[in-house]
Structures are given as structure tokens and as C-alpha cells.
Amino acid sequence: MNVPLVSSSAIGAPAGASAGQYLVVRGGGCRVVELAAGDHVTLVDPEGGQPALLFPIACDGMAAGALLGLGADGTVTLGAALAGQGGGEGADDVARVLAERGVDPRAHPGHLVLADGTAPGAALSFTAPVALLLVVSAPGTPMAPDQQTPPTELHLRIARGPGTPVPLPPALAPVILDLRVPAAQAKAYRVKAGDYIQIIDVAGRQCSDFLAFDAAGLVRGEEFGLDATTTRTLMGAAYPGPGLHSKYYDERQIPLVEVIRDTVGRHDTFALACSAKYYEDMGYPGHANCSDNFNVVLAPLGVRPKRGWPAINFFYNTGIDHANALTMDEPWSRPGDYVLLRALTDLVCATSSCADDIDPANGWEPTDIHVRVYDGAAHFSRGTAFRMTADAEPRLTRETAFHPRVAEKTRNFVEYRGFWLPTCFTGEGPVAEYWACRERAAIMDLSPLRKFEVTGPDAELLLQRTVTRDMRKLAVGQVVYTALCYDHGGMIDDATVFRLGPANFRVVCGEEFTGKWLRDNAAEWGLRVFVKSSTDQLHNIAVQGPLSREILSEVIWTAPTQPAIAELKWFRFAVARLGGPMGPALVVSRTGYTGELGFEIWCHPQDAAAVWDAVWAAGAPKGLKPLGLDALDMLRIEAGLVFAGYDFCDQTDPYEAGIGFAVANKDEDFVGREALARRKAHPARKMVGLVIDGNEAVGHGDPLYNGRAQVGVVTSATRSPILKASIALARVDVAAAEVGTRLEIGKLDGLQKRIGAQVVPFPHFDPQKTRVRA
């Protein structure tokens, strides 16, 4: 083939190219993208060892690999690749686009590039000589829990040719209305009950005001439109988002639309749509504005004009600062970002492309907005956008493989690190779930934990240089809890590390960024190691509580070379199977996040339902209950188990987070070693336990005072059922950290109201870890 292979460090756009797109092909999935003549494409394998199949298709539907100098692989057609995805991410979208273009996927041969064995960061690049449709596949097979060969993602970076506009993202379903709203204009349209409205920021950094009215009311001469104050009050948020609290209401408290998807997550419901008065007051009389634009397009539909419309301002980046001022800045939205709404009644709608070019509201340059309406018969998942880094492509909230079973027992889900997880369960509630874990057993879905397979000759060396524990002391079959720190000693993440072999490790942590950070360090140091994300290949539940061992002994089989469940020691794992030697493959670890005897079961998503059903069948007669995030918070705070973003962050070292035990005294250098030694020798703050006077609510971020001086902050707090008291974890100045010290928690403005608290030994519950070691 004639397509050049380049290193990731050499990736760049040709001179004169416009701003580009960054797209992701998920491991085991595929992606379709439109290319114009002159578009420069770079395909990157960020994690290494992931082959790619390219399927270039000309405008006439014919194979176009020869135009790119590609030789057909001869073994895989596009039709076979799509069928082989097995429902992999993107396959349905590709099939729909091909069907709309009349392309027969069976007639298109694949072109294998970036074959097995390529190094992390390997890339190839080419320039499209003519307009093309390009399908990219990242083929792979399901990974067993005791294996370390997940299919991983590929990155597409597309630098558009000079003057080439960024194309709209593919339609989500067949479109029944396609409406372009030119910059600084507005359009009105009708939507039927049940239909979906997609509002797209075409070029990025562009606000779009939205109005919706009850169509039946307008026929009667009554205007019932979206009411931001009613919405904020009923939803308990500055603006609704996908999930349980997702609706926008009118003044009658009747919902008109609900939010299904949101790839931005920053909007405004406080300010009016821009008006003539705003620009006049700023010295720009006669300036185009959204309120007047709305008046023009809505008048034929029976809507009376307003000098300033109280709209829902999608993509408008506003906030209230410490001085109680309404502030704004450039929108967070990128090209192709959108909100997807569902009409709950017949509506008359209006959408604007905001005309503001005198401040950062639209990045100083108004651009187009695009509206698509889809039939109500279509089905869309609900989700907000999760991005690993600021320039990453958004990934919508997903359901874990255990979600169908969990959803049978609750509708109370929240977004957690890109997944839907339950807060509590219908008919139970957090307190009942808590006591089930303390007295019997509980089962919870923890699949959002990020997993990375670290393999290769230098796997041990990479981890020895990047984690605070001593990896050279970690035995095969053992697990260790550790911190990962920046050079200044602040924490990136905490993690458990599994050793599967001499040069085989699995890192389980909270942050998606941790894998990239490990890869970046490996590249900088020239190490021969792969760090591959296996989160999508490895979902997990925790079974925790005094009866957890008894329950799992009934359903987990281990070979004679592996420890049985009854033999599995704390922070050890076993390769196992469900139900017997021919059952689904598993890894079972004696780990958890509750302070109780417990285990975690790791399986491929295709086996999740069987795993849940088997555990539930064995555990229900023994009082097993499902456990949500609310009850988990009670359990982990009692046990002194820290939580990222609450008890530690990049300004907190492991000693200040209460996990100084995870910093080994090893004689080899690692990231942050010098800073941690300095911080340990001269500590400024310390994590402590607090018992709080009375029963008033205390929460994360509440300030701690000694007299008028603030000496610390509450990091986590809960009402402890077993201790019959309100308790907290807090980070305080070392001068106020002695057990028995009396402090006050500041409420209101910190001075008008104080709640007494006393420093107590940390952790509050079972400090000797007798229960987890049982």
C-alpha cells in the first residue's frame, strides 16, 4: 500500500487546512465519515496492537481503495465486518448510512492497516483525492476476564481542506424536518407530541435560544410556553439534564419537553434572549437580536411579541460568581455538539442562532444552528457527554451490562463517570440496603471502574515508576491498593493493581485519564509496554457482607490450581468460572469498598446477566439486597475509604488523603517521590474523623473553624446507622488534628451558624479491619 505510516509525533494538518475533527472508533466497533477532496486524514492507534480495516467508497457507490493506494486485504468485506461487529458500537449507524446511499456492503473489500504488533501511537495519514465515504473498523473479539487482549479504540483526526465546512454529524434516525438556522436569525416550526428535536451547534461555540408553546393553547388564544423559574423549582437544578429529572415545564407546571441527550452540559435558564435594549445599552443601536427575530417568526403562528424573550438558552455559558454577579464566557460546545429533546405535547417551537458578536457569548463570531426533527417511533438512549480530555469526542452515558437486572428494581439512576448507576432501590431505600450489607449481604454494580491491561517486558518497570506501592513485591494472584501522583505530589487517582503474570498487570481505578497518563510516561521513557483499556470488556459487581463468602461458595467454581472462595485471602484473586468448569469465565477478587468481608466478580459483559442471576438466586434466601450509591456512601465513610473529588484531588497528597500507608519506602524513583518525601517530613494538613453534635445535615465542602479562623474542610459526611451519630471525614491543619480537639462546622455564611464537632480516631468503624479480614 502507498499510504504513509507516520509516528504520532509527526501528525499534523497540511498548510492551509481548516480546523479539524477528532473522532473515535471504539474497539470492536466501526465508524463512517464523509470526506471532501483535499481533506487530510490521520488514523492513530493510541494504545498499540489494534488493527484497522478501511473501506473507502466513492460517490457512485463503488470501491475506492485504489484512489488511496490501498491493496485489498481479500479476506473481509464491509458486509462481513458489519456482521462481525455483533452489535458493536457504530455498526447500526454505518448500516443506516450505507442503506440511505444505496451502497451494498458485500461489494466492498477491506484494506487492513495498522496490523497486529504496531506500537502505541502508530499512525497513517493520507489526503482524499476526491469526495469519499470512509468506513473504519477496529476489529476484535470478546476478551475473557483472565485474558488481556481487548480490542481498543482508534482515533481519526481530519483536517478539512481550505474552505471546506465541517459536515453535520450523521442523523440519529430518519429525519422528518431538516432546518438550518443561519447565523443571527431564527426559525419557527411545529413538532408533534412524541417527536424528537435535535438542536445542533454546527461550528461550535454558538448559543441557541429555544422557545416552545403548547400548540393547542395557541389555538384557543392562550400562550403557555416554557417557564424557566417553574422548571428550576420542580427539577431542583439550574437546568434539567438527561435522567430522572429531565423536563422543562410551563407556568401551569405541565411538562412540555424532556431532555433525552446533552453532549455539552452547560446551558442557561436565567438570562433573557438577547434584545434590542441590551445592544442599545452597550452602544450598538439597531443590532440584530434574538428577541426581535423570535417576534418576526412567531407572529404568523399567533404568538404575541415581547421586548425580551425568557428563552431556554442552550449552549450559553453563564454562572453566578462569588459576588452574586451573573457572568458569562464562551460556550463549551464543540462542532456537532447537540441537545436532543422529546416533545411531550404538540408544540410550536422557535430556535435562534444568537446574534451576539460584541462579547464572548458566541466566541465573538455567530455561526449557524441546525435543527432536526425525528419521528416519535425512533428510540434513543439517554445520556450526557463524558470526555476524558478537553479535546476528546463526547461519549454518551452508557448502561452497564448489569443494567437490565438493576433496572428491574429501581428507576433512581444518576450519571456516574459515563454510566448510569442506581442511587437506591424501590421498596428498600439506603438504610435498608446499608443494614443488609452490615448484617447479611448486598450486591452492587461497580462496572464504571476503569480497567487497564498493562503488559509487556517493561510492565513491572512502568508501574514501579508510576505508582506509590512497590510492584516488585506484588505476587502473581495478589492485589494491592495504591496511589498515583503527579510530580508535585498531588494525586491523579487511587487504584487497585492485580498481578496476572510476571509481566502482566491489571490496573483498576476511577479515572479514564489514568490510562493515557501511563501510556504517556511509557512513551517518554522508551519502555516496551502496552497499556490497553479493557473497561468495555470487563464489567463487575461487588458482593459484600458477612454472608458474601457463603453465597459465592455456592456459585463460583475454581480449578484445583486456584484458591476456592473459602480459601481466598484478603487482596487476592482467583481465576474462576460460574457454576462449574464449563461455565462463563470469571475473575473473583477479595476486595471491596464497604469495610465488610466481600468479593468482586469480574466478567465479560455478555455473561453479566448470568452472573447476576446466579448470585441473586443463591443470595436472596439469605437476605441479599441490592445496594445503591447512597448506601455505599454510608458504608465507605464509616470505614474511612476515600473518594476521588471529595477526599482527594490533584492538590492533595496521599498523606493528606489518609492513605499514607499506600506510599512504599522503596529505593527506586517514581513520579512524585521527592515531593512526597518533602510533604511527609513537613505535613500541613491531615485527614481526620469527626463526630458531629446533633443531627443537622453536614456535607462536602463545609468549612471547619477554630474560633474565627478556618482550619479545614469537610470532605465527606453521612449519618451513621451503626454508630447512631452524624460523622464526617475532614482535612484539617495539623495544629487542629489531635484527637479530642473541638471544632465548629460553619453553615450559612460560616459565621452566623456553627455546628460543633470533635476530632476522633480515623476510621470511625472497625479501625483494625477485623471484618474485611474475617
Side-chain angles (χ1 to χ4, degrees):
M1 57 176 284
N2 298 325
V3 177
L5 189 69
V6 299
S7 68
S8 57
S9 61
I11 295 170
S18 64
Q21 284 181 288
Y22 170 73
L23 305 174
V24 174
V25 184
R26 305 295 172 188
C30 54
R31 186 82 183 243
V32 61
V33 62
E34 288 187 70
L35 300 176
D39 287 352
H40 185 76
V41 179
T42 301
L43 178 65
V44 185
D45 177 10
E47 301 183 22
Q50 175 60 52
L53 282 167
L54 301 184
F55 301 91
I57 303 168
C59 293
D60 59 3
M62 301 301 291
L67 295 177
L68 301 179
L70 295 168
D73 177 65
T75 59
V76 181
T77 65
L78 178 51
L82 291 176
Q85 302 300 330
E89 192 164 338
D92 290 343
D93 291 337
V94 172
R96 185 178 68 250
V97 171
L98 296 180
E100 291 171 352
R101 305 292 180 91
V103 175
D104 182 358
R106 296 170 298 179
H108 290 270
H111 308 272
L112 182 65
V113 297
L114 299 176
D116 289 328
T118 54
L124 62 84
S125 62
F126 60 88
T127 299
V130 297
L132 295 171
L133 198 66
L134 178 67
V135 178
V136 181
S137 170
T141 57
M143 184 193 83
D146 59 338
Q147 300 298 310
Q148 296 189 285
T149 55
T152 56
E153 63 186 32
L154 299 168
H155 294 176
L156 275 171
R157 300 186 182 274
I158 304 171
R160 300 292 175 179
T164 302
V166 176
L168 285 170
L172 304 176
V175 178
I176 59 176
L177 175 66
D178 228 353
L179 184 67
R180 179 59 66 104
V181 183
Q185 296 186 29
K187 293 289 182 71
Y189 49 98
R190 294 181 181 272
V191 179
K192 294 181 180 179
D195 286 354
Y196 296 89
I197 309 161
Q198 185 186 23
I199 300 172
I200 306 168
D201 184 351
V202 177
R205 304 286 192 267
Q206 174 63 44
C207 299
S208 176
D209 300 322
F210 176 71
L211 301 175
F213 302 88
D214 181 349
L218 290 177
V219 172
R220 299 190 302 269
E222 300 175 311
E223 285 184 18
F224 296 111
L226 298 173
D227 187 276
T229 302
T230 301
T231 296
R232 291 194 302 267
T233 302
L234 296 181
M235 294 291 90
Y239 42 84
L244 198 58
H245 301 94
S246 61
K247 297 179 176 64
Y248 281 95
Y249 292 79
D250 66 16
E251 63 191 55
R252 301 168 298 176
Q253 301 185 10
I254 294 175
L256 298 185
V257 296
E258 64 175 329
V259 184
I260 304 300
R261 291 180 175 179
D262 181 359
T263 69
V264 179
R266 178 58 70 92
H267 312 284
D268 171 78
T269 61
F270 289 90
L272 295 172
C274 66
S275 63
K277 177 174 172 50
Y278 171 71
Y279 295 108
E280 290 166 358
D281 290 348
M282 297 294 289
Y284 296 89
H287 196 287
N289 65 87
C290 292
S291 290
D292 286 349
N293 288 341
F294 279 142
N295 290 335
V296 170
V297 300
L298 288 171
L301 298 171
V303 178
R304 292 183 292 275
K306 291 183 185 291
R307 286 178 57 84
W309 273 102
I312 305 304
N313 307 310
F314 288 126
F315 317 134
Y316 191 23
N317 178 14
T318 64
I320 306 295
D321 72 7
H322 67 284
N324 199 34
L326 181 63
T327 64
M328 62 91 171
D329 203 343
E330 294 185 13
W332 289 6
S333 51
R334 285 86 157 174
D337 272 340
Y338 66 89
V339 290
L340 180 68
L341 310 172
R342 185 169 185 264
L344 300 178
T345 189
D346 289 351
L347 298 174
V348 168
C349 301
T351 291
S352 78
S353 166
C354 182
D356 191 346
D357 60 358
I358 67 170
D359 55 41
N362 299 305
W364 301 95
E365 183 182 3
T367 53
D368 293 358
I369 291 291
H370 198 90
V371 177
R372 285 171 172 158
V373 177
Y374 305 103
D375 190 88
H379 174 74
F380 303 108
S381 64
R382 297 173 184 266
T384 57
F386 176 86
R387 283 180 167 93
M388 180 180 69
T389 59
D391 64 342
E393 186 185 38
R395 190 173 192 185
L396 289 167
T397 316
R398 294 109 78 194
E399 296 177 355
T400 78
F402 297 101
H403 184 90
R405 295 297 187 264
V406 175
E408 293 173 356
K409 304 179 185 300
T410 186
R411 291 180 297 277
N412 294 294
F413 289 91
V414 295
E415 190 277 340
Y416 177 77
R417 298 187 184 275
F419 289 85
W420 293 114
L421 281 190
T423 55
C424 59
F425 286 83
T426 306
E428 298 294 342
V431 174
E433 298 162 25
Y434 164 93
W435 280 115
C437 187
R438 285 282 182 247
E439 296 179 339
R440 300 179 302 280
I443 180 173
M444 73 195 81
D445 183 1
L446 292 178
S447 299
L449 289 171
R450 277 16 186 203
K451 299 97 178 175
F452 299 98
E453 310 301 322
V454 184
T455 61
D458 293 330
E460 182 184 76
L461 180 57
L462 173 64
L463 293 178
Q464 186 74 348
R465 291 183 179 180
T466 51
V467 307
T468 57
R469 290 283 198 172
D470 191 344
M471 290 295 102
R472 302 199 191 280
K473 294 183 177 179
L474 190 65
V476 174
Q478 189 176 7
V479 187
V480 70
Y481 175 75
T482 187
L484 301 93
C485 299
Y486 291 106
D487 284 321
H488 72 281
M491 289 180 61
I492 300 169
D493 207 347
D494 62 345
T496 50
V497 180
F498 293 59
R499 188 163 201 160
L500 284 74
N504 302 75
F505 298 84
R506 176 171 294 152
V507 176
V508 179
C509 57
E511 291 292 334
E512 187 89 18
F513 175 73
T514 298
K516 181 180 185 302
W517 183 77
L518 290 171
R519 281 192 295 274
D520 288 348
N521 278 307
E524 180 181 344
W525 299 328
L527 302 182
R528 295 178 60 201
V529 59
F530 291 97
V531 180
K532 295 191 175 188
S533 174
S534 57
T535 303
D536 291 343
Q537 296 288 313
L538 205 59
H539 286 198
N540 56 294
I541 54 171
V543 183
Q544 305 278 298
L547 301 183
S548 58
R549 180 188 287 125
E550 181 181 338
I551 292 169
L552 294 191
S553 293
E554 296 181 18
V555 298
I556 301 298
W557 176 90
T558 57
T561 55
Q562 296 286 322
I565 293 298
E567 301 168 327
L568 197 59
K569 297 184 181 300
W570 193 34
F571 275 89
R572 297 277 177 165
F573 70 89
V575 176
R577 290 192 176 267
L578 181 66
M582 303 305 293
L586 310 171
V587 166
V588 180
S589 60
R590 192 169 155 188
T591 50
Y593 193 52
T594 63
E596 289 291 343
L597 169 68
F599 301 82
E600 290 179 276
I601 304 174
W602 314 80
C603 68
H604 189 274
Q606 67 188 8
D607 299 317
V611 171
W612 180 282
D613 291 345
V615 173
W616 190 259
K622 297 177 174 63
L624 178 74
K625 299 288 186 184
L627 189 84
L629 292 174
D630 291 347
L632 180 61
D633 216 35
M634 298 181 197
L635 293 159
R636 67 100 186 163
I637 292 171
E638 287 180 348
L641 302 173
V642 297
F643 181 50
Y646 280 66
D647 305 305
F648 71 83
C649 65
D650 54 9
Q651 300 174 58
T652 310
D653 65 51
Y655 302 106
E656 295 170 332
I659 58 169
F661 63 86
V663 181
N665 184 24
K666 52 185 179 182
D667 58 4
E668 295 174 79
D669 195 18
F670 60 92
V671 179
R673 182 189 184 196
E674 183 177 334
L676 291 177
R678 182 181 69 251
R679 285 173 175 244
K680 181 180 180 181
H682 304 285
R685 299 173 297 176
K686 182 179 180 181
M687 181 71 79
V688 301
L690 295 177
V691 171
I692 300 160
D693 298 347
N695 298 305
E696 292 194 68
V698 173
H700 169 74
D702 283 348
L704 279 166
Y705 291 89
N706 185 353
R708 191 173 178 84
Q710 183 175 346
V711 295
V713 64
V714 173
T715 60
S716 294
T718 190
R719 178 70 184 174
S720 169
I722 202 166
L723 300 177
K724 302 179 180 64
S726 293
I727 63 171
L729 307 180
R731 189 159 39 254
V732 302
D733 189 281
V734 291
E738 185 176 349
V739 172
T741 300
R742 293 290 301 176
L743 299 172
E744 292 180 310
I745 299 167
K747 305 296 287 188
L748 304 180
D749 64 353
L751 300 176
Q752 294 185 62
K753 181 178 179 180
R754 297 285 181 85
I755 300 173
Q758 182 167 314
V759 177
V760 297
F762 166 79
H764 297 83
F765 177 71
D766 190 23
Q768 303 304 316
K769 306 293 184 187
T770 58
R771 296 170 79 98
V772 293
R773 297 176 186 272

